[in-house]
Amino acid sequence: MEQLKSNKKVPFLPQDIPFNDDQRQWLGGFLAGLHTRLLVKEEHVSTASAPQQQIKPLTIIYGSQTGNAEGVAEEAAEIAKNHGLSPAVIDMDDADLTQLSQAERLLVITSTYGEGEMPDNAQALWDDISSESAPRFDNTYYSVLALGDTNYDDFCLAGIQWDERLEALGATRIAERVDCDVAFESPAQEWIAETLPTIAQKGSNGHSEVVPSPPPAATKKAKPKFNRDNPFEAELINAYTLNKPDSGKETCHYEFSLLDTNESYDAGDAINLIPCNRPDLVEELINILGARKEQHEQFDGHTLALQTIFSEHLEIRVPSKEFIAEVAARSGSAEFIAKLEEDPQSLNDFLWGLDCVDLLTKYAPTAFTASDFIRLAKPLAPRAYSISSSIKKHQNQVHLTIASVRYNQGNRAHNGVCSTFLADICKPGDKVKCYFAPNKHFSVPEDTSAPIIMVGPGTGIAPFRGFLEERAATQATGDNWLFFGDRQKACDFLYQEELEAMQQSGILTRLDLAFSRDQTQKVYVQDKMQEQGAELFSWLERGAYFYVCGDAFRMAKDVDKALHNVIAEHGGLDAEQAQSYVASLKKQKRYVRDVY
């Protein structure tokens, strides 16, 4: 990390320090955090004797799909106060571009969702700043923190685009953009520690600039005490399959106890589970690497048994990009090597369905050692799942609805890491490490009289089971409409008895079903939306909130297209007007998605 011009320097690691990448990342984050705490302490001690420093405004905007970017923005704002800055944290949905262009100091923190898309709350502002009529940012100093996942081809694309666009509009970059992988905490802390002292010295000293004002915020939640590095353990108390025996799918319902954790959640939140890799996969990998499960290797600054490293710490099923490139290089396969140079989709098609063992078996069965693999693999990431319950109905419990990932390819059984960890390995009484992920944008309306429309095929029903339980528990008077779909009604109607009981009690006002394989022509939830277009539009006109949960790559896009069509047809609008109508829904937080 480069040295700052201020009299307080961020600690940096020499390039020749004898640590691996994981150790360097951990130590860098530790030093950055220590640096920040020392600054806080020093400035606190010197406040009484030093002249009062002039407060400088700082604008922090965030684009967040699941809440991570928002959390980093809030953390940066707290630390900014110790650098003589007065921070305003603004949801990109609430930012006004004209006011934003007048901010002298600007931090942008954004995630990328799906295949290189802007988060839902960032799309409207991005459209504005991307237009030819966008204002100049000539007097703005800025830096960008991008959150992403290297498993996706367009890694951190949203942050990259913001960084490039601000520069094109004349803004001055004061610290290089940092692109974070799923383990974003340490690099985010380093970015905060480097950026804040620098940006505090930029711009004017007075309050002359127009600072965008954040809207009145709801009561701020306390920062969760449990996280990836400090999870709690929840006991599995019940599990059963939701599909009938003739189904070609396995969707399971899981119930965990929160007793003795003092943890809670809101309907619409998610939970991160920290799984272990399957013993059979661990054994396969150890064997093909010519290693022994009891042999010890270096990992993250510790010497551990290989079985422990592969079981608990590394992603051993999904190959990292670094591992793929190295396998190709050592394989001698001209076709494989050529694919690395082609478009990402071509490589994805070439490797479709293959896991780490497949790649080693097919292309480099003797070319790698265990230490090679450890160096190239990614950390085992937590798996996030939408919560399918309301704690108001199920006291001290959290419920999940998870489809087991299983398929056969190349005469090998392939199994999802977390879904089959729960289905095959965990038994009632076992404890699973986890932590909650609040999602304040994806929640039932505070106005209990407001109608809601929920579109959730397959496991997308999960949060809406929680919504309906929440609405019943709070005696909400607003109407509730659910669109649900799956393959066959006879065996894939998830929570059928519960939903039908909710219909009879009046909690579920409308239930529209789309079972794609019960007729010759496939029917999906978006088809049902268009069938009921007039009624759907009338609900929107009387203030309904529109929620979507499920597959981001096809379903969510098809539902979005259907929504635009319904609004255009039944609102008497052209395509541009329908687009503005939908943009207004998003701005009002009445069109929100939890997609994956």
Side-chain angles (χ1 to χ4, degrees):
M1 188 181 297
E2 69 181 44
Q3 187 169 302
L4 301 177
K5 294 180 181 178
S6 68
N7 61 342
K8 301 181 179 68
K9 299 179 178 63
V10 179
F12 68 96
L13 300 178
Q15 292 300 314
D16 59 351
I17 193 169
F19 294 150
N20 62 32
D21 290 343
D22 290 333
Q23 292 167 333
R24 287 174 59 84
Q25 184 184 62
W26 181 89
L27 185 57
F30 171 79
L31 291 174
L34 180 61
H35 169 73
T36 299
R37 288 192 291 272
L38 289 174
L39 283 178
V40 173
K41 183 177 180 180
E42 181 180 339
E43 291 180 14
H44 176 74
V45 170
S46 62
T47 299
S49 57
Q52 186 64 41
Q53 192 175 22
Q54 184 113 32
I55 299 296
K56 298 180 179 181
L58 170 67
T59 301
I60 306 173
I61 60 173
Y62 66 86
S64 187
Q65 195 71 27
T66 61
N68 288 336
E70 181 182 6
V72 176
E74 295 288 356
E75 181 179 356
E78 287 300 312
I79 297 172
K81 297 172 185 176
N82 301 307
H83 292 274
L85 295 164
S86 176
V89 177
I90 304 175
D91 184 321
M92 286 188 182
D93 246 347
D94 298 320
D96 176 83
L97 185 60
T98 301
Q99 284 192 349
L100 198 64
S101 68
Q102 299 176 53
E104 284 189 300
R105 287 161 289 269
L106 174 65
L107 298 183
V108 179
I109 302 171
T110 184
S111 63
T112 299
Y113 120 81
E115 292 295 343
E117 297 179 44
M118 291 286 165
D120 284 346
N121 76 312
Q123 190 61 56
L125 184 63
W126 174 249
D127 290 342
D128 289 344
I129 202 171
S130 300
S131 70
E132 293 183 1
S133 60
R136 299 284 298 174
F137 280 71
D138 294 314
N139 296 319
T140 299
Y141 297 94
Y142 81 99
S143 185
V144 175
L145 180 73
L147 307 184
D149 184 343
T150 51
N151 283 327
Y152 290 93
D153 295 324
D154 292 318
F155 173 59
C156 285
L157 181 60
I160 293 170
Q161 291 176 326
W162 269 98
D163 191 23
E164 293 175 347
R165 184 57 177 161
L166 285 169
E167 182 181 42
L169 291 173
T172 302
R173 184 187 299 108
I174 56 92
E176 291 299 316
R177 185 188 71 252
V178 171
D179 297 337
C180 303
D181 203 352
V182 288
F184 64 88
E185 292 86 355
S186 291
Q189 287 178 0
E190 291 184 43
W191 176 81
I192 290 171
E194 177 177 356
T195 302
L196 289 177
T198 305
I199 205 167
Q201 298 182 38
K202 303 297 182 180
S204 62
N205 291 322
H207 290 274
S208 58
E209 68 170 289
V210 178
V211 182
S213 301
T219 303
K220 185 179 176 182
K221 282 187 177 182
K223 186 176 181 179
K225 62 180 178 180
F226 296 106
N227 52 42
R228 178 183 179 135
D229 297 322
N230 179 39
F232 66 89
E233 291 188 333
E235 180 183 344
L236 178 64
I237 55 178
N238 194 18
Y240 55 86
T241 303
L242 292 166
N243 308 92
K244 301 296 191 298
D246 291 335
S247 175
K249 303 172 73 174
E250 181 185 77
T251 309
C252 299
H253 174 87
Y254 299 99
E255 299 176 1
F256 292 89
S257 172
L258 297 176
L259 283 173
D260 303 322
T261 69
N262 294 319
E263 282 294 273
S264 186
Y265 60 89
D266 292 329
D269 285 352
I271 190 170
N272 290 286
L273 302 185
I274 302 177
C276 292
N277 287 307
R278 294 173 62 93
D280 52 356
L281 183 61
V282 171
E283 183 177 357
E284 279 187 293
L285 182 58
I286 289 175
N287 288 340
I288 198 169
L289 291 171
R292 296 171 293 107
K293 63 182 181 181
E294 64 272 11
Q295 80 181 53
H296 282 64
E297 297 285 347
Q298 287 292 314
F299 174 76
D300 198 22
H302 301 281
T303 302
L304 300 172
L306 193 58
Q307 184 168 21
T308 300
I309 296 172
F310 284 179
S311 297
E312 301 177 16
H313 298 291
L314 286 183
E315 177 62 71
I316 67 171
R317 193 182 91 82
V318 181
S320 69
K321 289 185 175 181
E322 294 79 6
F323 179 69
I324 291 170
E326 192 68 20
V327 172
R330 299 188 190 189
S331 70
S333 168
E335 182 185 16
F336 193 173
I337 294 171
K339 289 294 180 183
L340 296 177
E341 304 300 324
E342 296 179 14
D343 65 280
Q345 188 56 50
S346 178
L347 179 64
N348 291 341
D349 293 342
F350 181 71
L351 299 176
W352 187 88
L354 300 181
D355 64 10
C356 291
V357 170
D358 290 327
L359 285 177
L360 288 170
T361 303
K362 188 172 183 179
Y363 294 104
T366 61
F368 285 80
T369 65
S371 59
D372 288 336
F373 185 87
I374 291 170
R375 175 174 56 84
L376 295 165
K378 293 177 62 174
L380 182 59
R383 268 53 175 180
Y385 295 102
S386 302
I387 293 170
S388 56
S389 57
S390 166
I391 202 165
K392 293 182 174 65
K393 178 177 176 63
H394 305 282
Q395 189 174 11
N396 291 317
Q397 290 185 15
V398 58
H399 296 182
L400 302 177
T401 308
I402 301 175
S404 302
V405 176
R406 306 180 193 275
Y407 62 94
N408 287 288
Q409 182 171 325
N411 297 318
R412 282 186 66 234
H414 294 69
N415 300 282
V417 175
C418 194
S419 63
T420 64
F421 166 72
L422 293 174
D424 299 345
I425 298 171
C426 293
K427 307 298 179 188
D430 290 347
K431 293 187 176 181
V432 176
K433 294 178 180 179
C434 52
Y435 58 98
F436 287 113
N439 190 355
K440 72 177 187 180
H441 293 304
F442 198 84
S443 58
V444 294
E446 292 184 6
D447 179 2
T448 58
S449 66
I452 64 175
I453 304 167
M454 301 161 283
V455 182
T459 55
I461 195 175
F464 302 136
R465 178 179 183 262
F467 278 21
L468 291 167
E469 290 180 347
E470 183 86 2
R471 299 272 274 188
T474 58
Q475 299 182 337
T477 58
D479 291 330
N480 305 300
W481 186 352
L482 174 66
F483 288 89
F484 172 74
D486 214 309
R487 291 181 180 175
Q488 296 175 300
K489 184 175 182 179
C491 50
D492 299 318
F493 192 171
L494 308 183
Y495 299 112
Q496 178 177 358
E497 293 79 8
E498 291 185 21
L499 293 176
E500 291 176 343
M502 289 178 180
Q503 270 191 296
Q504 292 177 1
S505 69
I507 290 298
L508 186 51
T509 312
R510 289 199 58 156
L511 176 62
D512 279 81
L513 303 171
F515 293 100
S516 61
R517 301 189 182 182
D518 277 351
Q519 59 282 312
T520 304
Q521 185 175 355
K522 292 183 179 180
V523 176
Y524 298 105
V525 287
Q526 61 267 24
D527 301 315
K528 289 293 182 179
M529 284 172 54
Q530 296 197 125
E531 282 182 18
Q532 305 298 329
E535 184 69 10
L536 195 157
F537 183 71
S538 72
W539 279 49
L540 294 175
E541 285 289 275
R542 61 187 179 95
Y545 287 66
F546 187 81
Y547 300 89
V548 183
C549 182
D551 169 51
F553 301 105
R554 294 190 62 180
M555 182 278 297
K557 293 176 182 176
D558 291 340
V559 166
D560 185 73
K561 182 179 179 181
L563 179 64
H564 280 77
N565 291 342
V566 164
I567 290 169
E569 178 182 354
H570 299 283
L573 307 175
D574 60 26
E576 186 175 344
Q577 290 170 326
Q579 190 170 352
S580 296
Y581 190 105
V582 172
S584 177
L585 290 178
K586 290 179 179 179
K587 194 80 172 177
Q588 298 171 56
K589 307 293 192 295
R590 288 174 50 211
Y591 176 17
V592 290
R593 304 188 297 177
D594 178 11
V595 294
Y596 38 85

